[in-house]
Structure formats: C-alpha cells, structure tokens
Amino acid sequence: MINKILSIQNIGHFVDYNFSASKDNWNGELKKINIIYAPNGSGKTTFATILKSLKESSLTLSKFKHTFNSDESAYLKFIVNNNSIVEYKDESWSSFLPEIEVFDINFIEDYLFMGSVAKANNKTNLFKLILGEKGIEFRTRIKKLLRELQKIKTARPKKGETPETRETRVSEKQNELNKEVADFKDFSKEKYDNFIDAVNKNLKKFTTYIRLSEITYDDTTEYEMFRIYMIFDVYGERVKFCLPTQNDDILTAKYALSEGDKSTIALSIFLSRFTMEGSENKIIVFDDLLSSFDFGRRSATITQLSKLANESTQFFLLTHDLHFAYDFFERNTFQISLLTLQIKVTQHGSRLSAFNIQEEHMDNTRRNLNVLKNFRDSIGSQNLIDVVRSIRPALEGIIKIKYFDEIESNIWLGTIIERISTSTSNSRIHKLKTIKENLVQLNEYTQGFHHDSGNGDFLNPNIEELRNQVALFFETLDDI
C-alpha cells in the first residue's frame, strides 16, 4: 500500500513538490480509495506514469517524464507498506511495488492497439499479458528448438555423417519441437479460453453487441504463434484490430468501431485480469479515458470500478471529469477510508492538495463565470490559462442547467453542439441553433488549451484574442 507521497521533484508538472500540511490542507495520508481530480494540464498523466514506474524497473522516469527546461535530477520519496521508505534517484527506485496495476492510454498502446491497429509489438505484449511467465518460457524453448533445427538442416554435414544419419538428427529434433509445440498449444488453449470467457463477462456489463470470439495469429511462420491478436463479433460480423490483408473478409476495428466501443473493449480486457486472478492484493490505478462513453457505459463503469475499489488493497481514480469524480464519490460514500484530492497547478509546479468534491461540484459553474467576469472587468490579476479553461465548462454548465431535460450532465460541449445541430423544432434546444456558430468558435478556440502533455508546455494565450473570445462568451450567454 502507498501510505504517503513525500516528494516529487522534476517529473513532468511536479517541479518541486514536497508535502506540506499547511500548504496542501491535509495530513498526507493516502486511503484505501483515493479520488484525485486533475484538470487537464495539471499532471494527471504524469502521476499515473509515476505509479506505473513504481511497479516495473523498465520504465525510467527521467526518460519519459522529465520536466522541461530543468537540469535537475528526478527525485521521489514515498512511504509504503506503513513504514518503509522507497526513493527514486540516480535513475532507479530503491524498491518496487509489483502489485500495482495501471489502466491508462499506455496500457492500450502497449497491449492492444496503437492508432486503432494492433502492431507486432502489441501482439507480442498481448501474448505476455495472457500467458505470463510460463508462456514466455514456452516461447524461449520453442524458438531455441527452431534455431537448432534450422542449423541442422543448413549446416555442412559432419565428417563421416551419412544422409541417413543426418535425416535421423533432423527427425529427432523435429519430433522434439513438435512435442513442445503440442504442449504449448494445450497450455495456451486453456489460457485463451479462460481469457475469452473473462473478457466476455466484462463486455456484457457495458454492451450487448460486442463479444470476443477468438484469439489467433497469422499462420505464415512458426514465430507468428507468439504474435497473437483478437477477433470480435460485433452485430454478427467479425472485426479485428489488424490491418486487412488480401482477400480478407474480416472488418478492421479502425473503421468499424466507434471510439466508445474501442475504449469499452480496452476496459473489459483490463478488468478481465481481476476476473481471473482477483484483486484483493492489488493497488489499482485508473487514469480515466471515458470522454467517448455514453451515459449507460459511464454508469456501468462507475459500478465496476466501485466494486474493484472495495475489493482491492488500494485504489486510485485519476480524472479530469468533475461529474465522473463526483458520481464515483457518491457511489462510495459508505466507505470510511475514502479520500478526495486535486492536483493543483501553482507557480512552482503541481501539488497534491485537499479537495472538497461536493462543494466544488456544486460551485464549479459559478466559479468559472466569476473568473470570466473578473477578466472582462479587469478585476485583479488573472492567469490567462485559467481564463481560457473557464470558457467551455461555464458554457456547458449553464446549458446543462437550463436544458436539464435534454442535455445529460456527463456530455461535453462538442456533443452539445451536435445535439443542437440535429435537434428538431419540437425540442427546446432547437432555439440554440441561432448561436451554434458562436458555440463552435468558442469550442474550437478553447480546445488547444485543454490537453496535458505531461511536461508543462502550455500554449500562451494572446490577451487581445482572449478578450474577444470572452466578449463573445458573454454575448452568447445572454442568448442561451
């Protein structure tokens, strides 16, 4: 269990974080369930990567998340398992927590697909994910036998060796290889069948029209059996995450599935590991990727994550979605070991601070409106990034309140604009078509300021352009 985070230095947005009870308004003690609200650009991805690196030695933090424009070395200091100190310095951790499991964009790109297509590396990693160490041992032995067999076939005959003797050597090695392959196929079939069953149990919780039908490989060389991919049944048609081949009648997920469907598949695969192995001894980190989920799937996700959070040793929910964070909080208020934090951006970098999620959820729209009003009226000193980032959620909040019966609380401005575009005359939001172009302009303007690179490389807003956009915001507000 991770008990306290004492220091994070020169890792992405965390430039100079040392825990301070007075600065951060909490005692620093992490709980069983930890909800961390992190607005885009504050360091959510960085924090998830830090915890992932604590799991495995292969992820060097200074290579992946070093703070830009800093020559200082990365340093971290945690208290784990109640009283043990673990540090990251000189490019490595003093010890690891292998029980950590992280669901983030890197899980998807490492094990499943990149750009909606499973590449060779994805296939190999998926093999390792499903078959584990024993599968890797089989692969090592089979590859060794394949090399030995090829060497016998291509090497010059030994002195005095007859063709018959050589053929016997080839036959013996081939039989040895065939037995190893047969044993591997028996072992892997059971593993694949269990994995397919677990994935489909989880898919049923989110969707009725997708199921994993088989795990296979391209039968071109012996080595391809270690590069596996999945084939799904979607509305009765076969779909895969590989590029189409000649005379291929299987659809490609890149074009056949929505982003919501792809995220559902990725989440179901992540959850399947706990379906098979349990989560009682796991520290689970969930860096949400749910912007493409509809209301039903988001609700199902909260249900499944709540179950996982209560069964695991420790659970971290990282999210930029205040509504999702609040809904998850509400679902778990019975849990006494529950903590809500935020990653807060200061002039000295990001910090983990206390966060009253109930108060913030109620007042978020009003706070954004006040930021915009103060900027418009030149009251006080305003952080331009904060001003830009207040435009979109303020619009969303006002529209969701006024049109509560037509706009769900969990959708974003882009989707709201789509709803307005397709609305009919008997819909209340139909009248917003008169300001649709304003909404589009404001949405496009703010879009570039709502993404976290993990290293603090924010765009710098032009103050005059921002004044024009804020003026357009208040003009649009009057017509909502």
Side-chain angles (χ1 to χ4, degrees):
M1 186 168 180
I2 303 170
N3 303 107
K4 283 191 175 184
I5 298 172
L6 300 178
S7 182
I8 306 176
Q9 305 283 321
N10 297 297
I11 301 291
H13 291 296
F14 293 90
V15 181
D16 185 25
Y17 172 66
N18 290 294
F19 169 71
S20 168
S22 60
K23 286 183 180 179
D24 303 321
N25 299 314
W26 67 303
N27 63 8
E29 294 180 2
L30 296 167
K31 300 293 184 69
K32 175 182 173 66
I33 301 177
N34 305 275
I35 303 171
I36 303 177
Y37 170 64
N40 284 319
S42 61
K44 177 172 66 69
T45 302
T46 299
F47 190 81
T49 303
I50 287 171
L51 297 187
K52 186 174 183 179
S53 77
L54 184 56
K55 170 188 171 67
E56 53 181 305
S57 58
S58 62
L59 190 58
T60 304
L61 278 174
S62 58
K63 177 180 178 182
F64 290 93
K65 283 290 180 184
H66 188 78
T67 299
F68 283 158
N69 302 316
S70 173
D71 296 326
E72 300 294 324
S73 298
Y75 175 75
L76 298 98
K77 185 177 182 181
F78 292 4
I79 297 177
V80 302
N81 299 327
N82 295 322
N83 57 13
S84 297
I85 297 290
V86 59
E87 294 179 294
Y88 181 90
K89 60 182 179 179
D90 300 326
E91 308 292 340
S92 65
W93 289 97
S94 56
S95 60
F96 296 96
L97 293 180
E99 62 268 30
I100 293 175
E101 299 289 347
V102 179
F103 179 75
D104 61 359
I105 186 61
N106 296 312
F107 175 85
I108 295 175
E109 292 186 351
D110 286 346
Y111 294 105
L112 305 178
F113 49 83
M114 186 176 295
S116 300
V117 175
K119 309 254 173 109
N121 194 50
N122 296 123
K123 297 175 182 179
T124 301
N125 287 340
L126 182 62
F127 174 93
K128 296 175 184 177
L129 182 74
I130 300 175
L131 299 186
E133 289 300 320
K134 190 169 182 180
I136 294 171
E137 290 170 6
F138 266 115
R139 183 183 67 174
T140 300
R141 291 195 298 269
I142 291 171
K143 283 187 172 183
K144 181 174 182 289
L145 290 169
L146 283 167
R147 290 193 297 270
E148 291 173 350
L149 179 61
Q150 186 64 19
K151 186 175 180 180
I152 294 172
K153 288 180 177 179
T154 58
R156 290 183 178 181
K158 293 181 179 180
K159 187 175 181 180
E161 183 178 53
T162 65
E164 291 78 12
T165 305
R166 183 184 180 88
E167 185 61 35
T168 298
R169 288 175 59 212
V170 170
S171 178
E172 288 175 349
K173 187 60 67 175
Q174 184 67 61
N175 289 337
E176 188 178 353
L177 173 62
N178 290 345
K179 183 180 184 309
E180 194 70 35
V181 170
D183 289 345
F184 167 71
K185 287 185 175 180
D186 288 341
F187 161 76
S188 61
K189 183 180 185 306
E190 181 179 1
K191 286 283 189 178
Y192 292 156
D193 287 346
N194 291 340
F195 181 78
I196 289 170
D197 183 59
V199 170
N200 285 331
K201 283 180 179 176
N202 285 297
L203 279 170
K204 283 182 180 178
K205 298 165 185 173
F206 303 104
T207 179
T208 59
Y209 57 85
I210 303 174
R211 59 178 293 273
L212 176 57
S213 56
E214 64 178 292
I215 295 170
T216 188
Y217 55 89
D218 295 325
D219 193 12
T220 52
T221 68
E222 292 93 339
Y223 292 100
E224 288 300 320
M225 73 175 73
F226 310 123
R227 297 174 183 149
I228 59 174
Y229 59 89
M230 297 170 287
I231 296 179
F232 293 86
D233 182 294
V234 183
Y235 287 118
E237 296 207 43
R238 283 152 56 87
V239 176
K240 65 178 181 178
F241 282 95
C242 298
L243 290 172
T245 56
Q246 192 173 11
N247 301 320
D248 197 346
D249 62 349
I250 303 180
L251 297 174
T252 303
K254 181 175 182 178
Y255 304 105
L257 297 179
S258 69
E259 291 305 310
D261 288 340
K262 294 170 194 172
S263 296
T264 296
I265 287 170
L267 179 57
S268 297
I269 288 169
F270 180 75
L271 294 176
S272 70
R273 303 179 68 187
F274 307 116
T275 303
M276 292 187 293
E277 302 169 8
S279 58
E280 294 80 8
N281 300 316
K282 298 293 185 180
I283 299 171
I284 299 170
V285 182
F286 188 84
D287 183 3
D288 75 284
L289 302 166
L290 304 176
S291 58
S292 57
F293 275 17
D294 58 26
F295 178 79
R297 286 183 183 174
R298 285 167 66 94
S299 178
T301 299
I302 289 172
T303 299
Q304 297 310 313
L305 293 187
S306 297
K307 181 174 182 290
L308 201 59
N310 284 279
E311 291 175 350
S312 61
T313 296
Q314 193 172 30
F315 185 87
F316 291 86
L317 173 66
L318 296 161
T319 180
H320 67 274
D321 184 341
L322 183 60
H323 297 294
F324 183 77
Y326 181 75
D327 288 345
F328 182 85
F329 170 81
E330 284 284 285
R331 193 74 64 91
N332 290 278
T333 49
F334 68 90
Q335 172 62 257
I336 58 172
S337 187
L338 176 67
L339 177 68
T340 57
L341 300 172
Q342 67 173 325
I343 299 178
K344 188 176 182 179
V345 179
T346 73
Q347 61 180 346
H348 300 297
S350 292
R351 302 190 64 84
L352 284 164
S353 302
F355 184 63
N356 188 326
I357 194 170
Q358 292 171 305
E359 181 178 307
E360 187 71 18
H361 184 256
M362 293 176 64
D363 293 344
N364 193 46
T365 299
R366 182 178 291 276
R367 184 187 64 82
N368 287 317
L369 288 169
N370 281 330
V371 168
L372 294 165
K373 178 182 181 297
N374 290 339
F375 176 76
R376 182 195 64 181
D377 298 341
S378 300
I379 299 173
S381 176
Q382 301 287 322
N383 181 309
L384 299 187
I385 289 289
D386 284 344
V387 176
V388 176
R389 289 181 171 167
S390 296
I391 294 174
R392 194 194 300 184
L395 282 171
E396 292 168 345
I398 294 297
I399 292 172
K400 288 172 183 177
I401 290 170
K402 185 168 182 178
Y403 300 93
F404 68 94
D405 54 338
E406 296 186 27
I407 303 295
E408 302 97 308
S409 64
N410 64 305
I411 66 174
W412 307 111
L413 186 55
T415 305
I416 291 172
I417 293 170
E418 291 176 9
R419 294 276 185 89
I420 294 169
S421 299
T422 58
S423 65
T424 57
S425 58
N426 61 347
S427 169
R428 290 204 305 123
I429 63 169
H430 183 70
K431 73 174 187 177
L432 297 184
K433 282 192 174 183
T434 59
I435 59 167
K436 191 189 82 169
E437 294 308 314
N438 290 1
L439 295 174
V440 169
Q441 181 177 327
L442 291 167
N443 187 49
E444 291 179 349
Y445 172 71
T446 58
Q447 210 159 28
F449 299 91
H450 282 265
H451 297 284
D452 172 16
S453 71
N455 286 289
D457 53 336
F458 297 134
L459 297 173
N460 188 25
N462 176 284
I463 190 166
E464 291 306 318
E465 183 181 12
L466 180 53
R467 289 193 188 284
N468 291 334
Q469 297 298 326
V470 171
L472 179 63
F473 166 83
F474 281 104
E475 175 188 325
T476 304
L477 194 62
D478 289 339
D479 294 325
I480 289 177

